[in-house]
Amino acid sequence: MLSIEKAMERSQMGYARHKVVYDESGKPVDYVFLSLNPAFERLTGTKKEDILNRRIREVMPKITQGDFDWIGYYGKIANIGQSKVFEQYSYPLDKWYRVEAFSCEQGYFTTLFTDITHERELAEASKDFLNDGQKANTYEQITQRMKRITGADYVALNVFLEDGEHFQTVAIAGVPGTLQKAVHLLGFNPEKKEWAPDPYRFELIKDNRVTTFAHLHELTGQVLSKKAIQLLEKTFHLGQTVIVKSTRGERIIGDFTLIFTNGKELQNENEAIIYADMLGMLIENRNQQRKLEENEDRFNRAIEGTGAGLWDWDMVKDHVFFSKRWKSMLGYEDHEIKNDFSGWKSLWHPDDAPRIEKAINDYLEGRTKTYLIEHRLRHKDGSWHWISTRGDIEKDASGKPIRWTGTNIDITEQKQQQEELARQKEALENNRNLINSIIKALPGFLLVVDKNHNILLANESRLKVGKVKHQSLEQVVCKKCYEMFMDRDTQCPWCKLDDVIETGESFSETTTPEDPREQITGQALSLLSSPVRDKQGEVIGVVEYGIDVTELRNAKIEAQEANKAKSKFLSTMNHELRTPLSGIIGYSDILRNTPLDEEQKEYLEIIYTSGKHLADIISDILDFSRIEASKFELNPEKTELKALIENTLSIVRPKAKEKGLYLSAFIENAVPQIVEVDGSRLRQILINLIANAIKFTDDGSVKVSVSLRERDSDKVRLLFKVTDTGMGIKQEEQTIIFEPFQQADMSPDKKDQGTGLGLAITKKILELMGGTLALESEYGKGSTFYFELLLPCEQEQPEDSEEANPENIEEQTVFTNKKILIAEDNPINMHYVQAAINMFSKDIHVIKAKDGKEAYHLYREHNPDLIIMDIRMPHVDGYHATAKIRAQDKQVPIIAMTAKALIEDKEKCLAAGMNDFLSKPVSLDQLKETVEKYLVRR
């Protein structure tokens, strides 16, 4: 069996093997010739001994010139083991090659190639001939191209005149000045010469497409002296002469006379014949065009008054006429489009071309009875216009098509309307699919029923809970919920669905061990039932969402027995609920900013509200539990009060804008700029009070004010007020609203009821800070919550009072060209964070890692501007990944984003070297604020 090297030695394809040369940074900068075959030498004109073991830049210094990066292209193939087949022009060799390059070993590559220069010449000629507008192809250019295709030394182009007997030499290529002078001395000048009919010459070439003569005098002996021609042949070493005819059917359109020097002969004979035939078509088209132009003006005037664009295709002469209206609807002047098939075809949209050609062929060959097609044509301004084209064909007595006429109508506006409707439909379908994905990902049980308890929708979790197991929604849809899930013939006596339908109000409950639902399912359930309304606001059904709180309840019981068990319960609840809630709330928040129909909006709002409700309960319970357990600690630090107020307002401002409320803040001039306080807890207090004010205010304003009550050298007593123009609080309820799990009846439709812990937590935090929360309210006129704090401060000069209005602060763009690395093992949370960051800016490059080990390697590879790090991950957790990064980089910001939310968790993250801490679920605004904060510092 022949080895590969021996096979390549015999191959007609060029073969070479190379080694890539890299610089210090690993970039390919050169490559070395390791082996090559004789065909390589022949196809490139090089010698093996001159190039073997040498670099390409030494052998071909011009390799870096031109538009193609040969070194970089081959370097990429050698690096990643690709195989590529491509056609490319070589600037140093002035040739086109078809190359197959591949790599079997990193850093090395092999090339197999052939010379396709003559093919490219033919292809370029074909394109030029098809685009022969304004007779752009000169006979001199045509003759020069034939010289390159055939390898002839001298070429003359002869074109027959209309009588078919006389012909003219219209162009000559390759003839040097010395040969021209010698010919002139003989009294002969072939340039632009019109020849009389030559029966002898015609007889010699009539039966052949290509006729070869050993000597020039065999062809010209009847016109010039044989001895004179022989003298020329000897003087200029002339050898073989070849005639290549250009024909159309039986008619000779013209011919190429090719003259070779001694030892050379015709190359690429087939390509020469094809090129000659192409010339025949070009000349024939030009003749037909000239005749058509004689009648075109009269035809134009006859159809000028027609509104539609008209076209007329003379299929015998292959000439297409386009009316001025046809051209003007595409923005072109009359002279700017060629009146031939190529002029029309050049305007086709590439994607529509196969369809147009098929429609034409189907109609011409009788497979379709009518020609009617909608397609795109290029407007002069570069845009694409949709055109409706209709045509009717005329045939001769034998049934052969001879003429095809038709109309064009611009239907772009109609198409745009159709496409917009299609896009909206696709967006709605995508949203529907996304909603279904969210429903499928819900950790709890989702059930939607109509007023008659017929099941409309359920997620997989709900289908698996109950006496009967169901595999798909199709098995239960339109059937009674109590039949499918409780195996009952009548409505369940404990069911609250009818109460929700009758009152139109949401209802929440948690089952007990005595509850039949808990006995049947074996799970303790926390259920929230909310009404579903139609566009008129009428209740048409109920959506019930439940979660398994068995572990939660058991953990609570254990926590009551021991403080350690209580902490474990809080940690378990926090992580297990926050992780899925992060995906639910995050995706719901993103989805709310996309097009939805009314039904989708209603379902999504219920999901989002339920998720937020659960998240608020978790956060409030955690805070309240830490306070009750005396584990709630304050961390006073120097805080810029104005910035804190502005930041707080920026968080709640979107909700105020949504309700049309005016939100403002006023800081008295005597209030010091810097005070010592736990800024995060003060912000939590203000957000709680302002959010409550916005929640229960439907018209008017919410105002925050800070004023000085007293001051000495290093301490200041400040009065904080949050005032709203809402509905106020009844006198009998003002004494209970600060107690845990107590709420005032401030919303008639109860849509804004909360957990009942917010004010209690706020009051407790203020007490730890040495303050007291108080209230002034008049029912129907509004409320003011206020408190005083005695805070350390620095001596400073008073400034003028000013109203802090974050709306006027210009947000700086900090996302451009930034790289953010996200380490997260939960796919839903990973996708949410990535989607959220992409909403902030399309300029951010997101790098994803599924665990701490991958995060560290991707950090080393990409050098990100910011890292978002989950804590609990497989293989290497967030703490260890941070430690490895910090061992090399103290500057890159690392933000912990985790379902752990206890103060000790935050402290552990900061101690591990992280810059900040976000507790899941994380809102879009919270995530954006934190990312902006650290990207600004970069």
Side-chain angles (χ1 to χ4, degrees):
M1 181 179 293
L2 289 175
S3 68
I4 293 178
E5 288 76 9
K6 290 183 179 179
M8 288 297 100
E9 285 292 313
R10 299 181 182 181
S11 174
Q12 295 301 306
M13 296 180 65
Y15 158 82
R17 188 167 184 267
H18 309 272
K19 176 182 179 181
V20 179
V21 179
Y22 300 92
D23 63 12
E24 294 180 354
S25 67
K27 177 183 177 182
V29 295
D30 215 328
Y31 57 85
V32 177
F33 291 87
L34 299 180
S35 62
L36 52 90
N37 68 347
F40 183 99
E41 299 176 281
R42 175 176 53 81
L43 292 172
T44 63
T46 59
K47 295 296 183 182
K48 185 174 184 178
E49 58 268 20
D50 295 334
I51 65 175
L52 205 60
N53 296 318
R54 296 181 64 191
R55 296 187 176 192
I56 186 65
R57 288 178 180 267
E58 297 173 351
V59 176
M60 299 179 187
K62 294 183 179 180
I63 190 68
T64 58
Q65 299 181 19
D67 297 330
F68 187 70
D69 181 9
W70 290 90
I71 296 174
Y73 190 85
Y74 285 146
K76 183 177 180 181
I77 291 174
N79 280 344
I80 61 180
Q82 287 184 321
S83 176
K84 294 286 187 180
V85 178
F86 60 98
E87 295 180 358
Q88 185 59 48
Y89 172 73
S90 172
Y91 185 86
L93 301 175
D94 190 26
K95 291 183 178 181
W96 278 90
Y97 294 97
R98 181 178 293 111
V99 184
E100 179 179 359
F102 56 89
S103 173
C104 299
E105 180 181 356
Q106 187 170 9
Y108 295 82
F109 67 94
T110 301
T111 58
L112 303 172
F113 62 94
T114 56
D115 186 345
I116 58 167
T117 304
H118 59 282
E119 296 179 19
R120 298 290 299 202
E121 288 281 5
L122 198 60
E124 292 298 321
S126 176
K127 289 190 290 186
D128 288 348
F129 286 178
L130 287 175
N131 297 290
D132 189 42
Q134 303 298 309
K135 297 182 175 57
N137 298 282
T138 66
Y139 287 130
E140 286 76 14
Q141 292 171 333
I142 292 169
T143 308
Q144 285 287 353
R145 184 172 277 133
M146 179 61 101
K147 180 176 180 296
R148 290 194 294 271
I149 291 174
T150 60
D153 294 280
Y154 318 117
V155 180
L157 171 59
N158 304 305
V159 176
F160 279 86
L161 305 182
E162 288 189 6
D163 61 9
E165 297 181 350
H166 292 77
F167 62 94
Q168 181 182 22
T169 300
V170 297
I172 297 177
V175 180
T178 53
L179 181 56
Q180 291 180 0
K181 289 180 180 179
V183 173
H184 291 167
L185 288 175
L186 296 175
F188 177 68
N189 183 13
E191 291 186 271
K192 308 299 181 184
K193 179 177 178 60
E194 184 175 315
W195 304 82
D198 186 350
Y200 173 75
R201 185 177 189 275
F202 178 78
E203 188 66 24
L204 291 175
I205 67 174
K206 69 175 183 177
D207 296 327
N208 306 308
R209 293 302 311 275
V210 177
T211 307
T212 302
F213 303 93
H215 303 284
L216 177 62
H217 65 260
E218 296 177 10
L219 176 66
T220 60
Q222 303 299 314
V223 180
L224 295 174
S225 166
K226 180 177 180 180
K227 291 185 177 180
I229 295 301
Q230 287 177 331
L231 179 61
L232 283 176
E233 291 175 336
K234 182 177 181 181
T235 302
F236 293 96
H237 309 289
L238 303 182
Q240 188 182 85
T241 297
V242 179
I243 300 294
V244 182
K245 287 194 302 185
S246 177
T247 62
R248 292 291 287 163
E250 298 296 326
R251 292 189 305 110
I252 300 177
I253 302 296
D255 65 61
F256 289 96
T257 301
L258 315 176
I259 303 175
F260 298 85
T261 55
N262 288 332
K264 295 177 65 176
E265 59 185 18
L266 175 65
Q267 301 176 21
N268 307 315
E269 179 176 328
N270 290 335
E271 285 80 358
I273 294 172
I274 295 171
Y275 187 68
D277 283 346
M278 289 166 54
L279 174 65
M281 294 174 61
L282 178 70
I283 295 173
E284 186 76 356
N285 287 341
R286 287 182 175 180
N287 291 337
Q288 292 177 356
Q289 179 68 19
R290 177 177 53 79
K291 293 178 182 178
L292 285 173
E293 287 174 353
E294 296 173 357
N295 299 319
E296 186 173 338
D297 186 61
R298 182 179 71 252
F299 189 65
N300 274 338
R301 289 195 298 270
I303 62 176
E304 186 64 32
T306 304
L310 302 182
W311 52 271
D312 176 41
W313 185 2
D314 186 335
M315 304 180 73
V316 176
K317 299 177 180 179
D318 196 23
H319 175 84
V320 183
F321 168 79
F322 304 109
S323 70
K324 290 183 178 180
R325 171 61 182 158
W326 192 99
K327 298 176 182 179
S328 66
M329 72 170 58
L330 296 173
Y332 294 96
E333 297 294 332
D334 187 45
H335 66 278
E336 291 181 313
I337 298 181
K338 292 188 298 183
N339 287 326
D340 57 26
F341 185 83
S342 66
W344 173 44
K345 190 173 182 178
S346 67
L347 302 177
W348 292 359
H349 192 289
D351 295 343
D352 294 345
R355 188 165 52 85
I356 298 172
E357 291 180 344
K358 183 179 185 303
I360 292 173
N361 292 332
D362 287 348
Y363 184 57
L364 292 178
E365 295 172 14
R367 288 190 291 271
T368 56
K369 294 183 179 180
T370 59
Y371 179 73
L372 176 61
I373 185 175
E374 295 178 356
H375 60 87
R376 288 164 288 183
L377 294 180
R378 187 179 66 252
H379 194 276
K380 185 177 180 180
D381 63 11
S383 62
W384 295 99
H385 280 225
W386 277 96
I387 304 297
S388 174
T389 299
R390 181 187 295 272
D392 293 306
I393 203 164
E394 177 184 347
K395 299 181 180 180
D396 60 15
S398 65
K400 180 181 179 181
I402 58 174
R403 198 174 198 88
W404 196 358
T405 59
T407 60
N408 275 17
I409 300 175
D410 191 332
I411 59 170
T412 304
E413 187 174 349
Q414 297 170 243
K415 276 290 183 181
Q416 289 173 343
Q417 293 174 353
Q418 293 173 3
E419 290 173 357
E420 179 60 28
L421 288 174
R423 280 194 295 270
Q424 292 178 2
K425 182 178 180 181
E426 182 180 4
L428 287 173
E429 184 61 27
N430 289 339
N431 290 334
R432 190 183 301 276
N433 292 337
L434 186 51
I435 288 175
N436 289 337
S437 298
I438 292 175
I439 291 173
K440 186 176 181 180
L442 287 173
F445 320 126
L446 182 71
L447 175 66
V448 182
V449 300
D450 63 15
K451 295 175 68 172
N452 297 316
H453 297 242
N454 295 310
I455 299 171
L456 303 177
L457 178 67
N459 66 350
E460 292 182 3
S461 297
R462 187 64 185 91
L463 293 176
K464 296 176 182 179
V465 175
K467 280 194 172 182
V468 182
K469 303 291 184 181
H470 303 285
Q471 300 300 319
S472 67
L473 178 62
E474 289 74 14
Q475 292 178 287
V476 300
V477 71
C478 296
K479 297 178 181 177
K480 304 296 183 183
C481 59
Y482 48 81
E483 292 178 352
M484 293 296 101
F485 300 126
M486 292 294 127
D487 194 22
R488 291 176 57 89
D489 296 329
T490 58
Q491 182 179 337
C492 304
W494 57 83
C495 182
K496 299 298 189 295
L497 298 183
D498 283 340
D499 295 339
V500 176
I501 294 171
E502 292 175 5
T503 64
E505 297 180 358
S506 298
F507 183 85
S508 61
E509 59 177 327
T510 301
T511 63
T512 64
E514 295 76 24
D515 193 308
R517 289 169 292 185
E518 188 165 325
Q519 295 173 355
I520 291 174
T521 62
Q523 297 174 339
L525 303 175
S526 178
L527 302 169
L528 174 65
S529 302
S530 299
V532 178
R533 302 178 186 271
D534 59 17
K535 293 182 179 180
Q536 289 71 39
E538 295 294 326
V539 176
I540 59 173
V542 179
V543 57
E544 181 184 71
Y545 183 70
I547 60 173
D548 179 2
V549 294
T550 306
E551 291 186 15
L552 207 62
R553 186 170 68 188
N554 293 339
K556 184 176 181 180
I557 295 172
E558 294 173 4
Q560 292 172 349
E561 298 173 352
N563 188 53
K564 183 178 179 179
K566 178 179 180 180
S567 297
K568 182 179 179 181
F569 155 71
L570 290 174
S571 178
T572 301
M573 179 190 72
N574 171 63
H575 189 275
E576 297 302 321
L577 292 183
R578 283 178 181 273
T579 296
L581 280 175
S582 180
I584 296 167
I585 296 173
Y587 277 114
S588 300
D589 201 9
I590 291 174
L591 192 58
R592 293 164 77 204
N593 295 302
T594 63
L596 299 168
D597 61 33
E598 292 301 319
E599 183 181 17
Q600 292 170 337
K601 286 180 180 178
E602 186 161 13
Y603 290 165
L604 179 61
E605 194 61 31
I606 292 168
I607 295 170
Y608 180 78
T609 302
S610 299
K612 290 289 288 182
H613 181 71
L614 288 173
D616 290 341
I617 291 174
I618 294 167
S619 296
D620 286 346
I621 290 175
L622 285 174
D623 275 346
F624 191 75
S625 298
R626 286 200 297 268
I627 293 172
E628 289 294 299
S630 299
K631 291 186 176 182
F632 196 95
E633 297 179 2
L634 298 175
N635 297 293
E637 58 184 3
K638 291 183 179 181
T639 303
E640 185 179 354
L641 196 56
K642 177 184 174 183
L644 185 144
I645 297 294
E646 289 177 343
N647 176 263
T648 301
L649 264 63
S650 69
I651 295 173
V652 296
R653 187 173 296 280
K655 189 64 177 178
K657 281 186 175 181
E658 181 181 326
K659 298 187 69 174
L661 303 178
Y662 179 75
L663 179 62
S664 64
F666 182 85
I667 303 176
E668 192 174 274
N669 62 333
V671 173
Q673 296 183 29
I674 306 296
V675 295
E676 190 170 329
V677 68
D678 188 332
S680 64
R681 293 306 174 186
L682 180 56
R683 183 186 295 108
Q684 179 182 355
I685 292 167
L686 292 174
I687 288 175
N688 203 335
L689 296 177
I690 298 170
N692 272 348
I694 293 172
K695 183 188 298 184
F696 298 109
T697 302
D698 293 326
D699 185 48
S701 64
V702 175
K703 180 178 180 180
V704 181
S705 65
V706 185
S707 58
L708 179 66
R709 298 304 298 267
E710 59 179 327
R711 176 174 185 168
D712 56 21
S713 59
D714 60 353
K715 290 186 178 180
V716 63
R717 185 176 296 278
L718 301 178
L719 174 63
F720 295 78
K721 288 185 178 182
V722 177
T723 304
D724 64 65
T725 59
M727 63 187 304
I729 304 173
K730 298 176 181 178
Q731 187 66 37
E732 62 270 22
E733 294 177 336
Q734 293 183 20
T735 58
I736 66 169
I737 61 172
F738 298 117
E739 297 299 322
F741 307 103
Q742 296 295 325
Q743 297 175 309
D745 185 11
M746 299 168 66
S747 179
D749 59 2
K750 299 188 183 297
K751 64 182 178 180
D752 288 319
Q753 298 293 64
T755 63
L757 284 174
L759 288 177
I761 292 171
T762 299
K763 181 174 180 292
K764 292 286 187 180
I765 296 174
L766 277 172
E767 289 173 353
L768 292 173
M769 299 173 74
T772 301
L773 182 59
L775 165 67
E776 290 180 357
S777 180
E778 183 176 352
Y779 188 70
K781 294 186 177 181
S783 303
T784 297
F785 288 82
Y786 60 94
F787 57 91
E788 291 183 4
L789 291 176
L790 180 62
L791 304 172
C793 68
E794 299 178 351
Q795 292 287 350
E796 58 190 11
Q797 295 295 325
E799 294 185 355
D800 293 335
S801 301
E802 60 179 308
E803 186 168 348
N805 188 356
E807 281 186 305
N808 298 325
I809 298 175
E810 183 178 353
E811 182 180 357
Q812 297 180 353
T813 301
V814 298
F815 298 118
T816 304
N817 298 325
K818 299 297 185 182
K819 294 182 289 185
I820 296 180
L821 170 62
I822 305 171
E824 170 64 69
D825 64 317
N826 186 293
I828 296 176
N829 287 338
M830 168 67 82
H831 193 273
Y832 161 61
V833 178
Q834 181 184 5
I837 288 175
N838 287 335
M839 286 182 66
F840 304 158
S841 172
K842 298 298 182 184
D843 292 330
I844 298 178
H845 175 54
V846 175
I847 307 157
K848 300 186 290 184
K850 60 181 177 296
D851 58 44
K853 181 179 179 181
E854 187 178 16
Y856 173 74
H857 289 297
L858 291 176
Y859 154 77
R860 293 287 303 276
E861 180 181 352
H862 295 281
N863 189 25
D865 299 286
L866 178 69
I867 300 174
I868 298 176
M869 183 76 71
D870 191 16
I871 299 303
R872 182 183 293 182
M873 292 184 292
H875 307 304
V876 177
D877 63 21
Y879 298 124
H880 288 87
T882 299
K884 294 183 68 176
I885 293 172
R886 283 289 179 248
Q888 300 188 34
D889 189 342
K890 305 295 185 183
Q891 302 300 321
V892 62
I894 303 177
I895 300 171
M897 189 169 75
T898 174
K900 294 177 175 286
L902 301 177
I903 188 67
E904 50 265 33
D905 297 323
K906 179 177 181 180
E907 291 172 351
K908 187 175 180 181
C909 289
L910 298 178
M914 302 182 192
N915 299 81
D916 213 329
F917 179 96
L918 291 176
S919 178
K920 299 176 183 177
V922 181
S923 69
L924 287 175
D925 292 339
Q926 186 182 9
L927 181 60
K928 182 178 181 183
E929 176 188 0
T930 306
V931 170
E932 271 187 326
K933 173 182 175 182
Y934 288 97
L935 287 183
V936 166
R937 300 178 182 178
R938 299 287 286 179

